[in-house]
Each structure stands twice: as C-alpha cells, then as structure tokens.
C-alpha cells in the first residue's frame, strides 16, 4: 500500500518550473489512446479545483503569512494545470474535446459508482452517470452534423454512444438537486475522495461549456451547449452537496492534496504514453510536497493529525479508466426513469418537476431533442455506437431499417 503521508516528495521551494519545462509536447490527436486523453482531462479538472479551492480559502484567511504560503502553492498548482491541459493537442476541435469530456464523465463516474462503499452516495453516481451518458450521444450527433466526422474516431469503441436519461428530462427544480451530505466523522476516506474527484470533473465541464458554447456559428450547436451547460451546473450542485459542510477549511485542504496524490498515483500506474507518464510521475512527487504543507497547516490551526481524516492505511485501490459497458447497460435498464424529489429519488414525475419542465420547455422542443431530429433529416439516421447489441430499453431502440452510424 502506498501511503502518501510517509513520503516527503519534492520540497515546495524546488517546484517552480521555467518556460522550457512548461512547454510540454502535446499528445498526438490521431494516435492517442482515448483513455490517455481522459486521464489528461480528469487531472485538469483536479488541478482547476485545486486552484479554485485555494483561492476561496485565501479569501477567508486572516493570517498574512498563511496567505503568502497559500499563494505559493496556488502558483505551483497553476503551473501544474497549465502543463496538464497543454498536453491536449491544438488540432482537436472543441467538439472533439467535448466528446472526451463526456467520456470522462461516463467512465470515471461509472468506476466510482462501482467502487463506492456507501449506498446513498453510490446512488448519486449511478443517477448522474446516465445523464452524461446521454450528453455523449447528443454531442456525437452534433459532431457529425457540424464536422462530418464520427464520434467513434474520438471515443473508440471503449464507450458506447446511445440514449441515456433523455437530456430534456434532466432539467429539474434546483431544490431537487441538493443531496444529503455524508458525515465527516463516520464516512470512509474513499467516499470523500470520490466526491471530490467527481465534483472536480463536473465543475470543469461546466466551465468549459459555458465558455466555448458561444464560439459556434451554427444555431443548434450554440443552443445545445447552452442547454447541457445548465445540466452540468446541476451536476456540480448534485455532487458538491454530498460533501459534509462541517469539514474545516484545513481538513478540506488536506483532502484536496491527498486526492491529488491519489489520482496521479492511480493514473501513473495505468498510463501507456511514456511522456505523459513522466508528467504524472513528476506531479505525484510535487503533490507529496503539497500534502506535507497541508499537514502542517492542519496541525497548526486544527490541532489534528492527518490520519484522523484520511486514515493510516494508505491509498485505496487505484482508479482506472476502463470500459463500463455492462454496468451502464444494467443502469439503463433499471434506473432510466428515476428523478429526484428533495434529497431522494422517485420514479414518478412530481408537481415541482412538471412545473419546471413546463416553465423551461413550454410548447417547444429543447435543443437536445432537435439535434437528433436535425441529424435524422440530414443523414437519414441517428448516430450511435452500440457494440453490445440493441439498446437495453426497448423504447429507445432505433427504428427498423435506419442505417447505423
Ligand atoms: Fe496539483
Ligand atoms: Fe455531461
Ligand atoms: Fe455532468
Ligand atoms: Fe496540490
């Protein structure tokens, strides 16, 4: 078992990189293993959260000396984020990166759902993953319309592309997106890391869509990004509300750094691209240094030991990107018709849900429905990648005689 608390890593003072070191060679857009792209995107989300969280902590920190220390770590996190995200090639279009983002949301959330020990938390991931699964399908159809290319070239056959919980039905009243939090004192450390990982992934998707959406000329593309970006904001609410609001700031900082160690350690073990692996290796050593700093601050301000928060047995089983097709098909067959009511889940549409739907949709179909219709009109079929047979929900199967994507 690798225990990050037993390692010093690279001292913080030695972590600033020069321009040459920051100028990393991007991956090859054509030859890359799709899961290498997924690991880059997931770790970018983790680094973005590290920066954003540190900014928020600094804003409420009254101690000038500590604010300078936070500024230093934050600068290092920023260099890490620039390196990680700059591994993505400029040749990829926004839509290709978008397909990668939704593939991350699907396969990372599915992995977390399969490994989450707490049933209430597991339900939150099982619920959410069916929605990003549907986004992948909507964007794949947009991709073929706008760029005349097929999503299978981006996601390979690792992740299936077909309807999930229809995006139109994902628009809920905001009250119903708030879950009950876990209890910081009794919850397994793994559950805390899971929540942090998924909220970070969803947060970067939200930021990305809200910024790139208006760059498109095609009305349907602009509209689809607008719609799905609103769902991603709901997803951030859904996942972040799982975190105990009673955690102290220093406890949260420790969890952030520990989670960064966990993810770099996990992906380092799985990475197939040697130059990307070298980045994960270096960043793990850097995160071990950040963790020491967080331990220091936790002791100083909370008078607690890190083991009280993350345990003393070391990291959980490494997170892996791998196909989750059977698991997702099982969820499609059993949980597609779920929605939320308060902090729980129900099968029937309820008054608050219906009112929100009415307010948003009125008489019109949302962009997520129109994109499929327009694709059918243009090509005579809708785009799917179904490698394991027909859709598990009969009503969502393709009509006979329609040519396959
Ligand atoms: Fe970092
Ligand atoms: Fe999504
Ligand atoms: Fe999402
Ligand atoms: Fe860090």
């Amino acid at each position: 078992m690798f225990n990050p608390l037993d390692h010093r890593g690279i001292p913080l003072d030695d972590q600033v990189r020069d321009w040459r070191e920051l100028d990393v060679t991007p991956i090859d857009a054509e030859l890359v293993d799709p899961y290498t792209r997924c690991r880059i995107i997931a770790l970018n989300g983790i680094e973005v959260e590290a920066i954003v969280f540190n900014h928020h902590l600094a804003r409420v920190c009254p101690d000038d000396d500590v604010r300078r220390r936070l500024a230093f770590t934050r600068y290092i996190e920023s260099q890490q984020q620039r390196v990680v995200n700059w591994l993505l090639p400029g040749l990829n279009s926004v839509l290709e990166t978008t397909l990668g983002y939704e593939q991350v949301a699907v396969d990372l959330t599915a992995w977390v759902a399969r490994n989450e020990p707490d049933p209430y938390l597991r339900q939150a991931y099982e619920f959410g993953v069916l929605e990003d699964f549907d986004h992948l399908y909507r964007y794949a159809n947009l991709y073929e319309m706008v760029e005349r290319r097929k999503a299978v070239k981006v996601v390979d056959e690792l992740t299936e592309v077909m309807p999930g919980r229809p995006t139109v039905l994902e628009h809920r009243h905001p009250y119903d997106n708030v879950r009950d939090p876990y209890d910081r004192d009794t919850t397994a450390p793994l559950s805390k890391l899971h929540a942090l990982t998924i909220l970070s992934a969803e947060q970067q998707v939200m930021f990305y869509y809200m910024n790139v959406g208006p760059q498109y000329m095609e009305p349907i593309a602009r509209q689809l990004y607008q719609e799905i970006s609103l769902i991603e904001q709901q997803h951030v609410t859904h996942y972040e509300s799982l975190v105990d609001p009673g955690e102290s700031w220093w406890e949260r900082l420790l969890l952030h750094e520990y989670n960064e160690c966990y993810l770099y350690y996990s992906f380092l073990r799985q990475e197939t691209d040697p130059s990307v692996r070298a980045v994960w290796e270096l960043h793990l050593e850097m995160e071990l240094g950040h963790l020491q700093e967080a331990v220091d601050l936790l002791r100083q301000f909370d008078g607690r030991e890190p083991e009280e928060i993350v345990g003393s047995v070391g990291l959980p089983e490494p997170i892996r990107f791998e196909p989750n097709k059977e698991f997702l098909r099982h969820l499609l067959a059993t949980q597609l018709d779920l929605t939320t009511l308060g902090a729980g889940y129900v099968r029937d549409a309820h008054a608050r849900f219906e009112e929100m739907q009415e307010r948003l949709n009125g008489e019109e179909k949302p962009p997520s429905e129109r994109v499929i219709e327009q694709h059918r009109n243009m090509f005579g079929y809708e785009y799917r990648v179904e490698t394991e047979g027909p859709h598990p929900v009969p009503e969502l199967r393709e009509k006979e005689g329609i040519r396959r994507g």
Side-chain angles (χ1 to χ4, degrees), residues 102 132 135 232:
E102 295 294 350
D132 291 308
H135 301 167
E232 302 303 354

Side-chain angles (χ1 to χ4, degrees), residues 206-241:
M206 172 185 77
F207 286 151
Y208 189 68
Y209 296 169
M210 60 202 251
N211 285 298
V212 300
Q215 292 176 7
Y216 276 92
M217 304 281 284
E218 296 84 352
I220 186 65
R222 298 173 66 85
Q223 293 157 6
L224 185 65
Y225 273 99
Q226 203 175 55
E227 180 183 3
I228 295 184
S229 72
L230 285 167
I231 300 295
E232 302 303 354
Q233 190 276 328
Q234 293 192 161
H235 285 173
V236 178
T237 300
H238 173 75
Y239 294 119
E240 78 184 1
S241 61

Side-chain angles (χ1 to χ4, degrees), residues 13-72:
D13 284 338
D14 298 338
Q15 294 197 8
V16 176
R17 283 181 268 186
D18 64 20
W19 300 122
R20 195 184 50 77
E21 293 167 293
L22 291 172
D23 185 24
V24 283
T25 311
I27 54 171
D28 186 319
E30 299 294 327
L31 300 175
V32 65
D33 171 355
Y35 281 151
T36 293
R37 188 193 297 108
C38 284
R39 284 184 285 271
I40 293 169
I41 290 169
L43 284 167
N44 181 56
I46 294 293
E47 292 297 351
V48 168
E49 167 63 19
I51 298 165
V52 171
F53 169 76
N54 187 312
H55 273 296
H56 283 281
L57 171 50
R59 286 174 205 173
V60 298
C61 179
D63 184 319
D64 282 339
D65 177 52
V66 176
R67 290 204 299 164
R68 277 185 278 271
R69 287 169 70 178
L70 290 173
F72 191 85

Side-chain angles (χ1 to χ4, degrees), residues 282-332:
L282 173 65
H283 282 201
L284 172 60
E285 290 299 315
M286 296 170 83
E287 297 301 346
L288 293 167
H290 303 178
L291 183 63
Q292 290 299 319
E293 175 85 343
V295 167
D296 243 37
L297 292 165
L298 180 77
R299 286 190 178 128
Q300 187 182 338
F301 292 102
D302 284 1
R304 298 177 74 189
E305 287 302 311
E307 287 81 2
E308 294 172 44
I309 293 153
V310 294
S312 51
V313 293
L315 293 179
E317 188 196 335
I319 290 189
R320 283 193 307 275
F321 270 101
E322 61 188 23
N324 293 280
K325 295 176 185 179
E326 285 315 309
F327 177 71
L328 288 162
R329 281 174 170 266
H330 170 72
L331 292 183
L332 287 167

Side-chain angles (χ1 to χ4, degrees), residues 122-348:
R122 190 188 319 130
Q123 178 63 74
Y125 302 118
E126 291 177 349
F127 180 81
V129 73
L130 289 182
E131 305 198 338
D132 291 308
F133 188 75
D134 194 72
H135 301 167
L136 181 59
Y137 158 70
R138 311 281 156 183
Y139 280 128
N141 278 269
L142 180 66
Y143 181 53
E144 191 168 34
M145 281 166 61
V146 171
E147 300 194 23
R148 295 291 195 278
R149 298 189 66 187
K150 297 196 182 296
V152 72
K153 295 267 183 284
V154 180
V155 301
D156 209 339
E157 291 193 346
L158 299 167
T159 311
E160 292 190 279
V161 180
M162 56 186 172
R165 178 173 302 117
T167 297
V168 57
L169 299 179
E170 298 170 9
H171 299 285
R172 295 173 284 273
H173 190 285
Y175 286 178
D176 296 318
N177 290 320
V178 181
R179 310 273 73 81
D180 286 335
Y182 62 66
D183 179 341
R184 65 196 273 246
D185 295 321
T186 54
T187 298
L190 176 60
S191 298
K192 300 178 184 180
L193 303 181
H194 280 164
L196 209 42
T197 300
I198 301 300
L199 83 81
S200 304
E202 294 291 333
Q203 173 177 259
Q204 78 160 341
V205 179
M206 172 185 77
F207 286 151
Y208 189 68
Y209 296 169
M210 60 202 251
N211 285 298
V212 300
Q215 292 176 7
Y216 276 92
M217 304 281 284
E218 296 84 352
I220 186 65
R222 298 173 66 85
Q223 293 157 6
L224 185 65
Y225 273 99
Q226 203 175 55
E227 180 183 3
I228 295 184
S229 72
L230 285 167
I231 300 295
E232 302 303 354
Q233 190 276 328
Q234 293 192 161
H235 285 173
V236 178
T237 300
H238 173 75
Y239 294 119
E240 78 184 1
S241 61
L242 299 172
V243 177
D244 187 338
E247 286 173 351
S248 81
W249 282 98
W250 308 112
E251 184 174 355
R252 289 183 215 192
L253 178 64
L254 182 93
L255 281 165
H256 274 78
E257 299 297 0
Y258 196 81
N259 196 44
E260 290 191 82
C261 293
Y262 178 40
L263 284 162
Y264 281 116
Y265 178 79
S266 296
F267 292 164
L268 172 58
R269 294 173 55 120
Q270 203 195 4
E271 189 54 66
T272 48
D273 182 308
S275 58
V276 174
R277 190 167 56 229
V279 175
W280 302 160
E281 204 162 9
L282 173 65
H283 282 201
L284 172 60
E285 290 299 315
M286 296 170 83
E287 297 301 346
L288 293 167
H290 303 178
L291 183 63
Q292 290 299 319
E293 175 85 343
V295 167
D296 243 37
L297 292 165
L298 180 77
R299 286 190 178 128
Q300 187 182 338
F301 292 102
D302 284 1
R304 298 177 74 189
E305 287 302 311
E307 287 81 2
E308 294 172 44
I309 293 153
V310 294
S312 51
V313 293
L315 293 179
E317 188 196 335
I319 290 189
R320 283 193 307 275
F321 270 101
E322 61 188 23
N324 293 280
K325 295 176 185 179
E326 285 315 309
F327 177 71
L328 288 162
R329 281 174 170 266
H330 170 72
L331 292 183
L332 287 167
T334 54
Q335 299 200 21
L336 206 67
D337 53 349
L338 286 187
T339 189
T340 53
L341 176 58
Y345 302 85
V346 292
R347 291 208 181 262
D348 303 309

